[in-house]
């Protein structure tokens, strides 16, 4: 039975998904456009017609990963604000760590930020995430920074698969962050 033809937008989304998987595993320079094309069942020329360059495809895949994270955290916060919103976002982010592709793609993005155009794009994506957390919670910059710093630590632990490591340092790094972590923070402590 013949398969239905994909629209250009559907094909673009399919290629972004395949590219995200490949770039997450091998990075910008370790991934070939040919491999992405083969996995997507299209020609390399069509990949370039859709995205222009492999680097543009990488940047778009990274932006999509950050956007998935941002939108999921905003949805988790719902109508909450303050520390309640932050806690809901944190729970959602913790659940999202099971998607190794998204977290590894974000780490690959930071690693590829030695290239200026990648750095500018990643900065923009990270900035949107920061601004969304800050605007939704209404919390001060130090609290937002602390929250996102914990997120990076969680990313690192998930990337290293420390859940499988039976050593003291790994058990300590896996400890759960309990509600109330930020209760000591107030405007006086963060000037």
């Amino acid at each position: 039975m013949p398969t239905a033809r994909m629209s250009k937008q559907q094909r673009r989304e399919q290629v972004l998904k395949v590219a995200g998987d490949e770039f997450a595993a091998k990075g910008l320079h370790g991934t070939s456009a040919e491999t992405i094309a083969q996995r997507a069942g299209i020609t390399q020329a069509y990949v370039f017609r859709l995205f222009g360059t492999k680097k543009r495809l990488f940047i778009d895949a990274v932006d999509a990963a950050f956007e998935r994270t941002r939108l999921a955290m905003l949805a988790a916060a719902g109508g909450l604000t303050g520390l309640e919103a932050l806690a809901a976002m944190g729970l959602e982010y913790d659940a999202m760590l099971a998607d190794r592709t998204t977290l590894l793609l974000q780490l690959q993005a930071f690693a590829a930020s030695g290239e200026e155009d990648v750095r500018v794009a990643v900065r923009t994506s990270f900035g949107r995430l920061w601004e969304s957390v800050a605007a939704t919670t209404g919390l001060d910059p130090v609290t937002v920074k602390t929250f996102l710093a914990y997120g990076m630590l969680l990313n690192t632990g998930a990337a290293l698969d420390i859940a499988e490591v039976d050593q003291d340092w790994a058990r300590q790094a896996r400890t759960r962050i309990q509600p109330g972590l930020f209760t000591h923070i107030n405007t006086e402590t963060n000037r």
Side-chain angles (χ1 to χ4, degrees):
M1 169 176 242
T3 58
R5 287 182 51 117
M6 286 188 196
S7 70
K8 185 177 180 179
Q9 184 58 35
Q10 289 170 321
R11 182 63 77 180
R12 185 176 167 77
E13 289 170 13
Q14 179 215 19
V15 173
L16 273 174
K17 166 72 173 98
V18 168
D21 293 345
E22 291 297 319
F23 287 132
K26 300 177 193 117
L28 171 59
H29 298 294
T31 300
S32 73
E34 180 180 357
T35 299
I36 293 167
Q38 286 174 348
R39 284 208 41 224
I42 60 176
T43 66
Q44 188 173 342
Y46 193 53
V47 170
F48 290 127
R49 211 172 9 227
L50 288 171
F51 293 94
T53 65
K54 181 178 84 167
K55 189 184 288 184
R56 178 79 256 160
L57 175 56
F58 176 77
I59 288 169
D60 287 356
V62 165
D63 186 59
F66 271 98
E67 192 63 3
R68 278 191 303 277
T69 302
R70 187 183 78 81
L71 292 175
M73 288 172 55
L74 289 176
L80 300 172
T81 60
L83 295 177
E84 292 79 18
L86 203 64
M89 289 176 164
L91 286 172
E92 178 62 28
Y93 191 75
D94 187 53
M96 291 182 72
L97 291 174
D99 176 5
R100 288 183 57 78
T101 297
T102 296
L103 76 96
L104 290 174
L105 189 51
Q106 289 177 0
L107 293 173
Q108 293 285 7
F110 295 127
S113 288
E115 297 190 29
E116 185 177 0
D117 48 349
V118 173
R119 181 173 53 252
V120 168
V122 173
R123 229 187 251 155
T124 299
S125 294
F126 185 77
R128 268 196 323 266
L129 178 63
W130 180 293
E131 289 168 351
S132 292
V133 171
T136 300
T137 64
L139 296 169
D140 65 273
V142 172
T143 304
V144 173
K145 181 192 297 189
T146 303
F147 175 75
L148 292 173
Y150 275 108
M152 287 305 297
L153 178 61
L154 292 172
N155 258 16
T156 302
L160 296 175
D161 204 9
I162 65 170
E164 303 300 317
V165 177
D166 186 25
Q167 295 179 7
D168 284 342
W169 72 267
R171 281 188 292 279
Q172 292 167 11
R174 289 191 304 260
T175 57
R176 305 301 303 166
I177 297 170
Q178 301 300 318
L181 173 70
F182 296 107
T183 55
H184 68 285
I185 296 174
N186 59 52
T187 55
E188 293 302 312
T189 62
N190 289 316
R191 289 188 175 206

